[in-house]
Amino acid sequence: MQKISLYDMDRTITVYGTYTPFLLHMIFARAPWRLIFLPILPFGFIAYGLKLISRGQLKTFNQRMLLGSAPRLSDLQPEIERFAEKIMRSNIHRKAIDQIEADRADGRTLVLVTASYELYVDAIVRHLDMDHVIGTRLEVDGDGRVRPHIIGENCYDDEKINRIEALFAEQGWRRAKSHVRAYSDHVSDRAMLEFADEAIATTPTPKLRRMAKMRGWKIVDWR
């Protein structure tokens, strides 16, 4: 029996989100002049609110404004590592780390499943010493430049299940021969929680708390 634990990241393992803090970290570390684009960002949120652009397009719009359209990955990497270290110092639920360690000791395969960019999540996963990462993938061109273009779909909501099923296929795991445990704070991960044999709502939002009570899912507070 393959034992697998699926963890959402933002506000599940971390105390608060990481996407905007990542972009701001990169601005102040590399190009403070890009702060001039901040007044433009609300237009992207308005377009998203009006359903003129998707959630993924909103992310790449903000990325283009604050990170640039073609920075070299090699130039970004040192600051990505510093950002991951900052997350580990000041934006982690200690109880989440304890649960990760307990799952590891139980022989479970640890998978981080997040809508955040693999661009920086890979570094966080190395600190967490997890086995696999599933996140939103960005295009890196032949010259090693990071483009504001998502490969496939934004890893959010039902897309997480598509990516989880792809990982099962790649690893040769059989769902019927696996015990899956899933952790999340947000109702957008309903599909991932329903996919699991054991769903755990971690410091959940009110909507997920109500759903967890109705479905009989375990509720924990990691604050």
Side-chain angles (χ1 to χ4, degrees), residues 54 56-57 60 135-139 149-156 159 162-163:
S54 69
Q57 288 171 321
T60 54
T136 300
R137 295 171 294 190
L138 287 174
E139 177 185 333
H149 178 257
I150 290 173
I151 298 172
E153 299 294 331
N154 184 38
C155 190
Y156 183 77
E159 180 60 20
N162 296 334
R163 297 284 303 281

Side-chain angles (χ1 to χ4, degrees), residues 72-123:
R72 289 192 181 276
L73 179 58
S74 59
D75 293 339
L76 299 181
Q77 202 61 51
E79 288 304 326
I80 288 172
E81 295 298 330
R82 292 186 184 96
F83 178 71
E85 291 168 1
K86 182 189 298 184
I87 292 295
M88 296 304 298
R89 284 195 309 270
S90 60
N91 187 18
I92 292 287
H93 284 300
R94 181 66 248 177
K95 291 180 181 178
I97 300 299
D98 292 343
Q99 186 61 57
I100 290 170
E101 293 304 323
D103 281 357
R104 191 194 324 279
D106 190 37
R108 305 187 69 85
T109 298
L110 306 174
V111 184
L112 190 70
V113 188
T114 177
S116 295
Y117 287 159
E118 288 185 5
L119 174 69
Y120 67 86
V121 173
D122 282 343

Side-chain angles (χ1 to χ4, degrees), residues 7-9 113-115 134 154-166 184 188-189 191-192:
Y7 284 83
D8 174 50
M9 185 177 76
V113 188
T114 177
I134 294 173
N154 184 38
C155 190
Y156 183 77
D157 205 339
D158 289 345
E159 180 60 20
K160 286 191 175 184
I161 292 299
N162 296 334
R163 297 284 303 281
I164 289 166
E165 290 177 342
S184 180
S188 63
D189 282 328
M192 184 174 79

